[in-house]
Amino acid sequence: MVLAPGYEELEFEPPVAGSYLLPPMGAAADGSVLDTAGVQGRLHDYLGDKATVLSFIFTTCSDVNGCPLATYVMSGVQTAVLDDPALDGKVRLLSFSFDPEKDTPSALGQYGDQFRSADFDWQFLTTHSEQELRPILDAYDQWVIRDYDEAGQYLGTMSHVLRVYLIDQDRQIRNIYSTSFLHADTVVNDLRTLLAE
Amino acid sequence: MIQMLRAALVLLMAVIAPAALADETCMSPYMAKIVGQEDYVYIWTLGMEGVGDGEDKLVTVDVNPESENYGQVVHSLSVGGRNEAHHSGLTDDRRYLWASGLDTSKIFIFDIHTDPAQPRIHREIDDFVAKTGGIVGPHTNYALPGRMLITGLSNNRDHGGRTGMAEYTNDGDFITSVWMPTDDNLQGAVKSGNYADGYGYDARALPRRNVLVTSSFTGWNNYMMNLGKMMSDPEAMKRFGNTVVIWDLHARTPKKVLDVPGAPLELRCAWGSRSNYCFTTTALTSKIWLIYEDDAGEWQAKAVADIGDASKIPLPVDISISADDNHLWVNTWNDGNVRLFDISDPHAPEQVFEERIGEQINMVSQSWDGERVYFTSSLLANWDKTGSNDDSDVQYFKLFKWDGEKLTPDFSLDFVAMGLGSPHQMRFGAHALYGKPAAKVDHDSMAAR
């Protein structure tokens, strides 16, 4: 197993923040969501007022270069933002589960408590059901295959291409990162670029 | 079933770049890879007047030896008219195949995941030139995370070689475009030699080094001209690309323009986790060039091997790098040969094998394990040979088995006799990518590397 670049030092000097463009890639979709207290809301309630990094995960994901990578990198982003007065208070992290069956609000809350600093705006969201989840995944083009056994029983695992989204204050998607691309330094650089616009 | 789904998991999670990923060996490092037996080869095929319906089409061939349809065309989807069908590429999630036309600048997005045996049209982009601000001739369709990078060959002002690149969302919405650096506007790039021609052709990324590499061919005026007429026109022969450009991948800004004279075409980058280099071949000077990062961190270009006798104009076309970075297949269109170079020392490739495959050989695609090597024949509609010597073998799709020492023919399809046209770019498909069973597939063979 080769670890993703996001677990190691960035091998290159990223371009100077603000010196490059992040052209809009389309609107970030809305949908019905649950927070870790089980309170129902809209995904758009969490988008628009801050630059946001959104990742789709499930807490039982075992592929080290999948969801754990996303959470590891977002943890690094959290640290960098807390250390930078120019960013602090202007960035939100969203970890969105695509397993409503296992990732109940309380389960997701316990998962999030392992990573979230008490003074940081890192939200963990789930949904009531597959029916509420599906249109959100479709809108973000986040493709997931649920794994079933021969009797049709859900195995609790999913196949997916890791995607993490950078979303601006106008709820526009401005970048998408996958396993080979995702690194805290790059994401923070992009956040600085967005907030300097 | 469980095994099949596990295989899919392996495939979809295997998107990390550095560790040896194999046509399979020639695609975007962001993409899921088929590491076992491919089920289908999708062949983007030029329509030929008087052959079948005469339209460009996506031809699907069943290549799984356990299928009852092995070696047969199982589906053909015509797109209406001829567009100078040329290259194609898969999205990062491998659900869609983008296929472009160099003449009309149309791009056809095929859904290959709903039923991998029967691709369907998902969307057609017919305003590429207007959206991109004048880029003509969409060529390489290259996957980046959640988006496609499309290189151009020409422009709508003079239909010469100055061109650019465009980005689209995976769903086919335009994002942005950028022009290649020229003497008039280097866009901050360093011109390291004699040329900054602004031409384009292929693109490949080394995300670990934040590097995008592009090559250069020629404009619409030339690639749509009769080959004999162009070869006898000294002015036209001057209008070929002589550059490779190194870009900041993240910022999409050009950093350095390298001289690589003689139309550098296909680019293939090494997969090794510490291998910071790519290969290209020059069509007009018949050389292998190494594009590499030196010990000081500077990107350089140098000719490292001859391909045949340049005075006989072998015309190297497609190349394919092995998953272990040790070998490079090189096709030469004019003599119909494939050559294999040992590139274990990238600075000193050595030819270790040569064999004639057929008239006007062009594209080559190999399986992840390198044991299956596929070839097609067509280059460009106005450059292809008419088959006056041997009508039966000028437009073909062929499979050979490679055992490390020799190529053994497996099957060959005559695309003219079958009423299909001129076969060009090949891309692989597999049911397991989409969590779907295929008839009589050995799922145990779909294991991880």
Side-chain angles (χ1 to χ4, degrees), chain B residues 353-388:
Chain B
F353 179 83
E354 182 174 359
E355 182 159 320
R356 181 177 167 78
I357 300 299
E359 283 287 319
Q360 59 187 6
I361 184 176
N362 188 8
M363 304 305 289
V364 52
S365 293
Q366 64 180 305
S367 57
W368 182 278
D369 57 16
E371 294 177 2
R372 297 172 298 285
V373 189
Y374 300 90
F375 298 98
T376 56
S377 52
S378 174
L379 181 51
L380 291 158
N382 293 322
W383 292 20
D384 279 353
K385 301 174 183 179
T386 56
S388 55

Side-chain angles (χ1 to χ4, degrees), chain B residues 293-315:
Chain B
E293 188 177 27
D294 67 18
D295 293 341
E298 272 294 310
W299 281 84
Q300 313 286 1
K302 70 175 180 182
V304 290
D306 293 320
I307 306 162
D309 180 352
S311 68
K312 296 178 181 172
I313 316 176
L315 217 166

